[in-house]
Amino acid sequence: TIVLNNPRRRNALSLPMLQSLRRDLLHDVKSRELRVIVIAAEGPVFCSGHDLKELLSEDDVKHHSQVFELCAEVMTLIQKLPVPVIAKVNGLATAAGCQLVASCDIAVASEKSQFATPGVNIGLFCSTPAVALGRSLPRKVALEMLFTGEPLSAHEALMHGLVSKVVPEDKLEEETMKISQKICESSKSVLALGKATFYRQITQDLDAAYKITTKVMVDNLTLRDGQEGIEAFVQKRKPVWSH
């Protein structure tokens, strides 16, 4: 579990916070023991997005580029990791904080959570958050959020596909752990192959997507755990994964 822990700054994605998040996401990433990553946060705001104090000077183009490039790197890194990444959201997620939720593989939110891209209201359109948002939500819903800055409630976010589940606040930890433990019952190598393939095929047209996934299904059968799972099913026993 990685916890965004700067509630006084509303867990803003400052340059140091982004550097820390990247470091933590990559920590022990090749370990067989690592099976799921959960991103959580302290305080009433999950993440408020970029630290606007870092973006005040119009002359500091180099620093601004560094901030946005690192942010893009972290968001794409989440989908390149070999294990599922779950956002555990309990509060407000805005701008790049909303982008972070949209970039995770799964998102579980408490009923009090809200999601918004309010950059337009301060003259900084949420163009980079729009990348993740536009890939998670129907286009017209994403554009309404981007054009107006108005928030989605947790249940609206669920209805439109930004989050996977909405639960009462006191059930958030339990539900997140339930999903995590279910993931841990499967083979790490099979999940890693499946996750990488999902993101690879989702941007392709139908024919290309089937071409990619047909080959991957064959590759999956060459994995030790691919054979072990089928043998266990046929023999009516629990599989013993090698990962």
Side-chain angles (χ1 to χ4, degrees):
T1 301
I2 298 169
V3 182
L4 307 180
N5 193 12
N6 191 4
R8 286 192 307 135
R9 298 289 302 149
R10 296 160 60 90
N11 295 318
L13 293 177
S14 62
L15 192 58
M17 179 75 96
L18 284 166
Q19 289 166 337
S20 178
L21 184 53
R22 177 178 60 182
R23 189 165 56 247
D24 289 343
L25 285 167
L26 290 169
H27 178 70
D28 270 352
V29 75
K30 293 184 179 176
S31 166
R32 185 183 292 190
E33 303 305 310
L34 179 66
R35 308 300 305 284
V36 184
I37 295 172
V38 176
I39 300 178
E42 282 293 323
V45 176
F46 175 77
C47 179
S48 61
H50 290 292
D51 187 340
L52 295 178
K53 286 187 176 178
E54 288 187 334
L55 309 177
L56 269 174
S57 170
E58 64 185 51
D59 300 321
D60 203 351
V61 173
K62 186 177 179 183
H63 179 74
H64 297 164
S65 295
Q66 189 181 6
V67 169
F68 290 114
E69 285 167 9
L70 180 55
C71 185
E73 182 186 338
V74 167
M75 301 300 167
T76 54
L77 172 62
I78 288 169
Q79 295 182 358
K80 291 174 183 173
L81 291 170
V83 297
V85 181
I86 303 173
K88 185 176 88 171
V89 187
N90 188 29
L92 186 63
T94 61
C98 189
Q99 179 185 3
L100 179 59
V101 175
S103 298
C104 288
D105 304 309
I106 296 170
V108 185
S110 70
E111 290 173 331
K112 75 175 190 181
S113 300
Q114 289 187 303
F115 306 86
T117 47
V120 67
N121 298 328
I122 58 163
L124 185 65
F125 196 87
C126 285
S127 291
T128 45
V131 175
L133 217 61
R135 284 161 171 75
S136 297
L137 291 166
R139 186 176 298 183
K140 287 178 173 59
V141 177
L143 285 169
E144 183 180 345
M145 288 180 71
L146 292 160
F147 290 157
T148 67
E150 288 295 304
L152 289 184
S153 68
H155 287 288
E156 288 171 326
L158 176 64
M159 179 174 67
H160 294 305
L162 181 58
V163 301
S164 322
K165 286 198 174 179
V166 173
V167 295
E169 185 177 3
D170 62 355
K171 299 287 185 187
L172 183 60
E173 174 67 18
E174 179 186 329
E175 187 61 37
T176 305
M177 289 310 298
K178 185 177 165 187
I179 295 169
S180 300
Q181 286 161 359
K182 185 64 181 172
I183 289 168
C184 288
E185 291 175 13
S186 297
S187 160
K188 181 175 182 177
S189 55
V190 171
L191 282 175
L193 179 64
K195 175 174 170 173
T197 306
F198 178 85
Y199 285 114
R200 197 170 141 222
Q201 64 83 23
I202 201 71
T203 59
Q204 306 293 318
D205 64 41
L206 199 62
D207 289 339
Y210 273 119
K211 190 171 182 180
I212 290 166
T213 53
T214 298
K215 182 181 184 307
V216 171
M217 293 295 285
V218 175
D219 292 343
N220 197 153
L221 288 170
T222 68
L223 294 178
R224 189 188 305 172
D225 281 350
Q227 289 299 313
E228 166 61 17
I230 294 170
E231 284 175 15
F233 179 79
V234 171
Q235 295 167 9
K236 296 182 170 57
R237 62 174 174 82
K238 199 169 181 179
V240 180
W241 305 124
S242 65
H243 305 296

